[in-house]
Every structure is written in C-alpha cells, then in structure tokens.
Amino acid sequence: MDIEHVRSRFIKHFDGSTGTIYASPGRINLIGEHTDYNGGFVFPGAIDKGIMAEIKPNGKRKVRAYSIDMKDYVEFGLNEEDAPRTSWARYIFGVCREIIKRGGEVEGFNTAFAGDVPLGAGMSSSAALESTFAFALNDLYGLGIDRFELARIGQATEHNYCGVKCGIMDQFASIFGKQGNLIRLDCRSLEYEYFPFDPQGYKVVLLDTVVKHELASSAYNERRESCERVARRLNAEFLRDVTFEQLESIRSEIGEDDYKRAEYVIGEKQRVLDVCDALVQGDYETVGRKMYETHHGMSKLYEVSCEELDFLNDLAMECGVTGSRVMGGGFGGCTINLVKDELYDAFILKAREAYREKFGRSPKVYDVVISDGSRKVSD
C-alpha cells in the first residue's frame, strides 16, 4: 500500500488539506474454516496486504468518502435512515453506527481510501475496511474502545448492514495481527495465543482461482443455520461442544446435509489443535496433512468448494505440495499452499499451465508475508 498515493487523492478531493492515515490488513487462515461462528478454534494471521485510509474530521454531521480504487464518491449522514445504497460505503456507515450505538461520539469526516487486498480472493478485504475505520475513529475521537470491541464492531457491521452473519475471525485477525505470528483464537471464550510462524524450508503461497460464484453469501448463511439446528437439537450452545458420538446418536432425526455439515465442523475443531501442536514441534508434514483433510471436508461434507478449487488442490497433491486447501468461505477465492522451497517454482509453473489449459485463464499467485494488525501510519 502506498501512503503517497492515498494522500495525493485525499488532497485532490478535499481542498488540499491532509488528515491522519490508518491501515488494517487482510488475513490468511492456516486452518480452522467455518469454525468461528460455531464457537470453535481458528488459526489466522494478518498479511502484508490491506486497506489504507486518510481521515480528517470535517465539523459536520456528514461523512464524505472517496473510494480511490472504485473512483467513486459518496456522502451520507450518521443517522440510521441515512444508510447509503452503495455497497462499499455501507461498511463505513455500519462502523459509524455500531460505534454510536455503543455510546461513542462520532462526527462527520472526510476520507479517501485504497486497498491491495484482492477482492473475492478470501483474504477478507471487508474486514480490513471495517477494522481500518473502527481503529481510526476510536483513535481520532479518543473513544477508549478496546481492541476486542473494535473487532465486534466490524462483525456487527457485517451482520446488521451487509447481510453476512459472519463469525469474529476476520476482524479479530485484522485488529490483533502480529508480524511473524499466527494467532489461535478460541471463538467462544475469545482467549487467544500467538504462535511464531517462520516455516524454514517452506513457502506459503495463495493460488487465486479468479472466480467467485454467486451463491457464496446465501450458502454461507445456510451452512450457519444448519450448524445451529444441530446444536439446538443437542441442547448445546455451539457445535464445538458436540462430540462425534452425540452427532451419531441423532443422525436418523436430522437431515443428511445437517449431519455432514456438523461432521465437518467437529473434525475441524480438532484439526486446529493438532496443527498448533505440530507447529510447536516443527512438524510441517502433519500440518500439511491436516490441511488436505480440511479441504476434503470442505469439499465433500461442508460442500463449499467448487471445480476450480478442487482442481488446484488435486494438482498440489500431484506436485508433492506438503499441504493445500481452500481458504475462506469457499465457492471461489484461493487455495492456501504450504510448499517446500525446492518444489515451489515447478509447482507454480505447473499450476499456471494446467489451470489455463483447463479453465482458459491463469490463477493469480500471492506469496504470503505475516504482518502487523491495525495501526496509525502517519499524522
């Protein structure tokens, strides 16, 4: 992200003045997919791609926002009835409203922002946008909101203004990210622990399918409802509290789809813990094996993969890649791959050639650098 690029656009659109620049990252998740809203464990890390925004209070009750990437300008007020129709602006509006609902004093401001998180690639550009503005407004107005509540504000924005009933992971990783570390988060208790992540002899690389199938949002909400039905049937607060034995005991009473969804989530909870243990031991072969198990579960049980993702996962296995899986909500986006250094170049070349031959286009390639979370960049 380029500070000068953002500043120059802010100056151009807002009468030559300057404000304060803030940034928040997107994220990867090594393992632990669709477990956050089930009260389970996730294992994300912030990355060196994100959203950067310049912000300056304007003394009015109106937000004047310019999306540099979209070349789009929107104004909106701060009352509930002022909600903008433009989708990207609803994220900023939602953050303002969620802070106001919690008693925070937010005034109008001018802002210009840009990002280098690839849209639709499963690296959570929306959480980066929410986290940037939650962190910035908290700092600018001296609101004293703690980082956990900033993450909840981003999550509530998704729920109440953007129509996605997401868990807490994306916003948490964006706010709490720490360079060179992954974070194991218990999504029920919100206890977390940093794990140093510097896989010597390996690279982490994302392969972007460059597709995002339309059913992603509705199917995401359907999967969540399926999990909640099973938990209620067993009088559990979250599916993370359910054992395989308990699930089996009600198999004949629930739909097959609900059974498969729950089977995946229960298995994924344990895989996160197994991967954390393996990392402590430097056992990347186990880490990789668990990643492949997760992909199989997401494809065959949770059914949130797609032909393109399965193709890249199969290709990774054929090329001897240590671990590979779909990352994010599914139905497109990226695979995350743990690749030995000596196999990296051949794998990327093969993936580009085979994918282009099959689908008529090349996957995008993103090397991963684990970075810091939300921060002030410049006064």
Side-chain angles (χ1 to χ4, degrees):
M1 293 182 288
D2 186 342
I3 294 175
E4 293 309 315
H5 177 62
V6 173
R7 174 141 286 173
S8 67
R9 296 307 186 275
F10 187 89
I11 290 171
K12 177 182 177 181
H13 285 274
F14 299 112
D15 308 319
S17 64
T18 60
T20 307
I21 300 178
Y22 297 88
S24 292
R27 62 100 189 99
I28 61 153
N29 186 31
L30 187 65
I31 201 161
E33 217 67 79
H34 291 278
T35 51
D36 55 351
Y37 54 82
N38 285 298
F41 298 92
V42 292
F43 202 39
I47 58 172
D48 61 336
K49 295 175 174 60
I51 298 288
M52 183 176 290
E54 185 153 3
I55 305 174
K56 184 178 183 180
N58 59 26
K60 300 177 172 56
R61 287 286 295 173
K62 181 169 285 189
V63 174
R64 303 162 67 206
Y66 181 67
S67 168
I68 297 168
D69 300 326
M70 300 285 189
K71 296 182 172 60
D72 193 15
Y73 176 82
V74 175
E75 290 188 4
F76 54 84
L78 293 169
N79 298 319
E80 197 68 30
E81 62 270 20
D82 297 327
R85 293 184 179 179
T86 305
S87 58
W88 63 259
R90 291 184 70 85
Y91 291 101
I92 303 172
F93 175 78
V95 168
C96 294
R97 288 300 306 162
E98 290 299 331
I99 290 174
I100 291 168
K101 289 176 191 177
R102 289 160 172 78
E105 292 289 334
V106 176
E107 298 297 326
F109 55 88
N110 300 337
T111 184
F113 71 94
D116 57 0
V117 187
L119 298 177
M123 286 178 262
S124 206
S125 55
S126 61
L129 181 59
E130 293 150 5
S131 299
T132 298
F133 281 91
F135 185 90
L137 296 177
N138 184 48
D139 182 68
L140 280 171
Y141 294 112
L143 301 177
I145 302 171
D146 68 40
R147 285 182 174 246
F148 267 122
E149 196 59 28
L150 293 178
R152 291 189 186 98
I153 284 166
Q155 181 190 25
T157 295
E158 295 271 5
H159 288 196
N160 298 327
Y161 298 94
C162 305
V164 177
K165 299 296 184 184
C166 65
I168 194 73
M169 174 182 71
D170 295 348
Q171 295 80 8
F172 175 90
S174 188
I175 294 279
F176 281 85
K178 183 178 177 181
Q179 185 175 352
N181 287 261
L182 300 180
I183 319 165
R184 184 177 69 195
L185 171 67
D186 182 327
C187 294
R188 180 173 62 187
S189 69
L190 297 184
E191 294 175 333
Y192 65 96
E193 182 178 354
Y194 289 103
F195 283 76
F197 184 68
D198 183 23
Q200 296 295 320
Y202 296 83
K203 287 184 171 66
V204 178
V205 61
L206 307 181
L207 294 184
D208 186 352
T209 61
V210 204
V211 298
K212 191 66 179 175
H213 295 290
E214 284 304 310
L215 42 63
S217 291
S218 61
Y220 179 100
N221 291 338
E222 288 167 7
R223 298 304 186 278
R224 180 167 186 157
E225 290 162 6
S226 190
C227 294
E228 289 170 350
R229 278 195 298 272
V230 174
R232 281 196 304 270
R233 178 65 186 78
L234 288 165
N235 297 315
E237 181 184 6
F238 290 112
L239 203 50
R240 74 87 63 79
D241 298 314
V242 173
T243 65
F244 282 122
E245 291 75 21
Q246 289 172 311
L247 177 63
E248 194 62 37
S249 73
I250 61 166
R251 182 167 190 168
S252 62
E253 304 165 29
I254 59 176
E256 187 61 21
D257 281 349
D258 284 1
Y259 178 88
K260 289 193 297 184
R261 311 304 183 233
E263 182 183 3
Y264 163 74
V265 169
I266 295 167
E268 185 73 349
K269 169 196 164 184
Q270 188 58 46
R271 279 189 288 272
V272 177
L273 300 177
D274 291 344
V275 163
C276 291
D277 290 343
L279 277 183
V280 171
Q281 302 298 322
D283 179 4
Y284 289 100
E285 293 302 313
T286 293
V287 172
R289 188 169 66 253
K290 296 298 175 182
M291 291 170 69
Y292 279 115
E293 289 175 10
T294 291
H295 184 88
H296 180 270
M298 289 183 74
S299 179
K300 308 307 179 190
L301 300 176
Y302 222 63
E303 296 180 302
V304 293
S305 189
C306 61
E307 182 184 7
E308 295 91 344
L309 288 165
D310 288 344
F311 180 84
L312 287 176
N313 183 258
D314 290 342
L315 188 72
M317 189 172 288
E318 290 170 15
C319 291
V321 170
T322 301
S324 176
R325 69 175 193 84
V326 52
M327 187 188 76
F331 303 107
C334 294
T335 60
I336 180 170
N337 303 271
L338 181 64
V339 191
K340 287 181 178 175
D341 287 344
E342 61 267 26
L343 297 178
Y344 178 86
D345 289 341
F347 169 57
I348 297 302
L349 180 63
K350 176 72 172 176
R352 283 180 165 143
E353 290 177 347
Y355 193 84
R356 185 168 56 246
E357 183 177 336
K358 174 74 171 176
F359 298 106
R361 61 189 176 278
S362 294
K364 293 181 179 177
V365 179
Y366 308 113
D367 290 317
V368 169
V369 178
I370 304 298
S371 302
D372 287 324
S374 301
R375 60 204 179 274
K376 181 191 288 189
V377 176
S378 174
D379 289 317

